[in-house]
Each structure stands twice: as C-alpha cells, then as structure tokens.
Amino acid sequence: MKNVLYAQAGGVTAVINASAAGVIATARRHPERIGRVFAAQRGIRGIWDEALIDTRSATDEDIVRLRHTPGGAFGSYRYDLKSHEAAPAIHARIFEVLAAHDIGYLFYNGGNGSMDSAWKLHCAALAFGYPLVCIGIPKTIDNDLALTDCSPGYGSAAKYIGTAIREVGFDLAAMVQGRPKVFVVEVMGRNTGWIAAAAALASERPDDAPQIVLLPEQAFAPEAFLARVKDVAERLGWCVIVVAEGIRDAVGHTLAERSVEGGYVLLGGAGQVVARLIEAQLGYRYHLALPDYLQRVARHVASKTDIEQAAAVGEAAVDYALEGRSGVMPAIERIADSPYRWGVKPVPLRDVANCERHLPPEFIAPDGMGVTEAFRRYAEPLIEGEDAPPYRRGLPDYLRVEWQHVGRCCPPAAFALPPSRV
C-alpha cells in the first residue's frame, strides 16, 4: 500500500481547492489500497524542502468546507522543471523525498507548465525505475489547456468578470452627463483572450457593456478602435472597454510590459495605454480598473458548473491512479451544448504539456473587437449555477486548518529553488 502526494502549482483559482477536496475525499474511500494522503506545502517547493502536510489533520467535514474555499489551501509555487537528463540533481532530490515517504501516487494540480512538469516527473520515474503513478490535474483561469473542453477555474473567473462588467454598465448608464466618458478594464490573458471574451457574456442587448473587447489573438488597430470608441461614446455618452493584458500591435509586440524577472516578462499596463490613447486622441475622461487577483479568487460568485468540474477531475485522478494510468490528465469532455452535458476522460500529458489553446477564429467577431454567438454557446454553460459558500457575520466563512507537518527523513537540500513567480 502506497501513499499519496498532492501538490498545487501556478496561479490559484476560486475552485482549485475543490480539486484538492476531490482527491482527498476519494483517496479516503480506498483505505485498503491507499495509505496516507500528503500535500506538498507550496507545490514542488514543498517536495524539495521536504515540507509535507498530513491531510489527516483535516476532518471529513473540513474537506467538505475545503471545496468552498478559494486560494490554494496548501500553498502554490511556480517552477519550470527541466527534464531528468537536463537537471539530474533536481530530480534526484525529488525522488529522494518521494522514496523516503513511500509515495506511490503523485497528483500535480496546475496549468500548462505544471502539466509539463507532471509529464517530466512521469518520464523521470520510468527512467529511474521508481514505481510512481503521476497524474496531472487541470487548473487555470486562462482556459488555455489543450485537449480539454474547458479548464477548471475558468468558469468562475468568467462569471466574476461578466458580473462585474454588467454591474458597471448600469453604473455608467445612470451617470451620463456632460462630455462622454469611458471605463477601461484590464483583465488577465497573456497570450489568449478567454477571460476578456467572457466579459462579453455581460451583454444582452446591442448597446450593453462591454461595447468593445480587445483580445491578444487579434492585432490592435488604433484607428479602427478609436473610431469605434467615438461612435459608441457619442451615441450613449459612455463606453466600456475590456482589454486583455497581452494585446499586441500589428507586428506582434505587446502594448505594455511591467518588468522582467529571471527572464520572465511580467505584463501589465495595456489598459493604461489604451485609456491614455483615448484621452489624447478623443479628449474623453476615463476610469481604469484592474481586477488583478480578484478575478481568480472570487469564490463568492463562483460557477457551480466550474466547482463540480474541479471536484470531478480530482476524483477522476484518484480513480485513474488506482487503475495504474500514469502520465495522463483527466480532461473535461463536452457531450452536448443544450442542455449542457459533460464528462471526464483521460488524455496523455505529453500532448497537453506546454501546449497553448487560443480562441478559435470562429469565436472572434469580424471586426476583432468582440465575440460571436459561437463563443456565447460555448461559454454560457460554464458560468451556470450558484454554489455560495457558508457565511458568518456577513462574510464568507472559509476553511482555516492548522495543518500538521510530517517529520523530515532526508537531509536538507544542497541548494534552494529560485523564488516563485506566483
């Protein structure tokens, strides 16, 4: 009987803990085949530092509440793991810790880079002859994972953005006076426009907010954009513009970059560039908002569909592991649009790792500044349903557990991992 190790990686979501709850609860139902269930504190950093949590410090009731809690209950970490051939010392340390705690099942919960790391750990286990079942569990608000209809985390981020944009539209419509004004919202989306596109779900009528959505998949055309802004603002007295942080000009350069950390370019400021362009060329007053982390942790307005899918991939991961399926990821499969029906199926990690899924052309409006009905048919089922967390004294009552750590069996690592970008 082998033990389980679960790890969270990359940016958190409003529902990643539902996947964790799915793993833990399902593993507990198989005491005859699974020993202890550990979680790595801060993802791969926890494995490296041998900082492992014993999830037995949480009751079954705690695990139910974990499903309602945002953020990453065990802490996350962003690290681009190299192959065992390129980084033998890194992998040697990881497998030293796994062996010391008799880990036979490893569940790695994250996005594109994390699925690549899970695939590399699977390959390393085969090369080292270590008996490990390694499974990736999908998660990302960016919705850019390959081979899955959607990524757990996206539906809730989409619901939050759609809700916020609908509400701000009511605010602006109520305050029309004097010269036109614009409201610019910059959302996450480095290379893909899934989150920005979701803002369009707020619109029910032609003049509803947002009137303009700018996507990384479509080159930014300043003249056409300004003409559209002027048309809307002069007619309505206001205009809402949603900007993905990664929008690019005609030659493929991002409109704004904040800084570079260890070779990784941090994006941010595209909304400001667009807003200032409007002010300079059209003379309109603008307001600028950056939801930033708010869009990825808003559990209070999470999608029920998203929560159920996040839990389902966690449960399926354990089922696949017990079947001996290593090197796979449980993916969401769309069975029907209306009524929406879905299931879970295993897909090869090697075909998901570091593959980025963009908005297909049929989802982008002909003018490049909005979305089509095809996108709405795709996205609307993903934001359906409400599953509010419990409240106490007027605020969400999220789970806080004093996790118990497992005693260390290995000597300290010879060197430290670089700081996480999370």
Side-chain angles (χ1 to χ4, degrees):
M1 185 159 40
K2 295 290 185 177
N3 296 326
V4 162
L5 180 59
Y6 167 82
Q8 297 175 327
V12 298
T13 76
V15 300
I16 188 173
N17 287 333
S19 293
V23 168
I24 296 169
T26 306
R28 288 182 177 184
R29 291 198 290 268
H30 296 279
E32 75 289 350
R33 299 186 62 186
I34 294 176
R36 298 166 72 183
V37 180
F38 301 131
Q41 185 177 29
R42 301 200 178 280
I44 199 167
R45 172 70 181 270
I47 304 175
W48 182 262
D49 291 338
E50 200 184 358
L52 306 185
I53 292 166
D54 189 341
T55 63
R56 290 182 301 183
S57 45
T59 65
D60 289 345
E61 182 182 8
D62 288 335
I63 300 307
V64 171
R65 291 185 62 205
L66 179 62
R67 179 184 169 110
H68 295 288
T69 300
F74 305 107
S76 188
Y77 205 80
R78 197 189 301 272
Y79 179 73
D80 298 326
L81 182 66
K82 295 181 172 61
S83 68
H84 64 278
E85 297 96 342
I90 299 286
H91 284 270
R93 169 62 180 182
I94 290 172
F95 281 90
E96 176 188 28
V97 174
L98 297 181
H101 295 276
D102 199 21
I103 303 298
Y105 306 103
L106 176 60
F107 302 107
Y108 210 70
N109 198 173
N112 289 309
S114 302
M115 295 306 100
D116 182 61
S117 294
W119 171 245
K120 287 171 178 171
L121 289 168
H122 163 76
C123 293
L126 294 176
F128 296 162
Y130 183 91
L132 180 71
V133 174
C134 184
I135 294 181
I137 301 177
K139 168 247 43 158
T140 175
I141 67 168
D142 293 323
N143 201 39
D144 59 355
L145 281 167
L147 302 186
T148 182
D149 179 69
C150 59
S151 302
Y154 174 67
S156 296
K159 191 179 185 83
Y160 173 82
I161 291 297
T163 300
I165 295 301
R166 176 166 290 183
E167 291 174 345
V168 81
F170 277 86
D171 181 288
L172 289 166
M175 300 296 290
V176 173
Q177 55 184 320
R179 61 177 178 172
K181 59 183 176 182
V182 297
F183 188 83
V184 179
V185 183
E186 180 184 322
V187 301
M188 291 179 175
R190 168 173 289 269
N191 298 317
T192 63
W194 293 101
I195 298 175
L201 299 178
S203 174
E204 294 181 301
R205 301 176 302 177
D207 285 334
D208 284 351
Q211 290 85 10
I212 300 174
V213 177
L214 301 179
L215 309 164
E217 287 87 351
Q218 185 72 33
F220 179 62
E223 291 184 3
F225 167 72
L226 289 169
R228 177 72 176 277
V229 173
K230 184 176 182 179
D231 173 69
V232 173
E234 295 292 336
R235 185 160 45 82
L236 302 180
W238 56 280
C239 180
V240 175
I241 303 154
V242 175
V243 182
E245 64 183 353
I247 60 170
R248 289 164 167 77
D249 60 22
V251 294
H253 296 145
T254 54
L255 260 62
E257 297 175 0
R258 286 206 316 268
S259 61
V260 178
E261 289 184 4
Y264 183 83
V265 177
L266 298 177
L267 298 183
Q272 185 76 73
V273 171
V274 167
R276 287 178 174 172
L277 176 66
I278 293 169
E279 182 182 50
Q281 297 296 318
L282 301 177
Y284 298 155
R285 184 161 55 96
Y286 71 82
H287 289 268
L288 175 66
L290 283 81
D292 202 52
Y293 289 167
L294 298 175
Q295 63 204 291
R296 74 186 197 189
V297 296
R299 178 58 184 80
H300 66 287
V301 70
S303 153
K304 185 177 182 181
T305 297
D306 194 29
I307 295 165
E308 291 174 347
Q309 290 179 339
V313 294
E315 294 164 3
V318 177
D319 292 337
Y320 295 164
L322 293 176
E323 294 169 5
R325 296 174 182 260
S326 188
V328 300
M329 181 192 83
I332 304 298
E333 178 181 26
R334 183 175 296 230
I335 299 170
D337 280 329
S338 183
Y340 180 55
R341 292 190 296 119
W342 58 276
V344 180
K345 65 178 182 179
V347 298
L349 273 174
R350 66 174 177 272
D351 296 335
V352 179
N354 277 333
C355 293
E356 201 166 50
R357 184 179 67 144
H358 294 263
L359 276 169
E362 62 268 24
F363 283 2
I364 302 173
D367 66 1
M369 290 184 277
V371 301
T372 63
E373 286 302 313
F375 172 77
R376 288 178 177 274
R377 287 194 298 272
Y378 164 80
E380 283 177 346
L382 307 183
I383 67 171
E384 281 289 340
E386 289 71 49
D387 186 0
Y391 277 71
R392 182 172 60 88
R393 296 178 183 172
L395 294 175
D397 185 19
Y398 294 135
L399 176 70
R400 299 178 187 273
V401 174
E402 294 296 327
W403 300 109
Q404 296 176 3
H405 284 72
V406 180
R408 287 182 167 85
C409 302
C410 304
F415 55 94
L417 290 180
S420 171
R421 289 185 280 105
V422 174

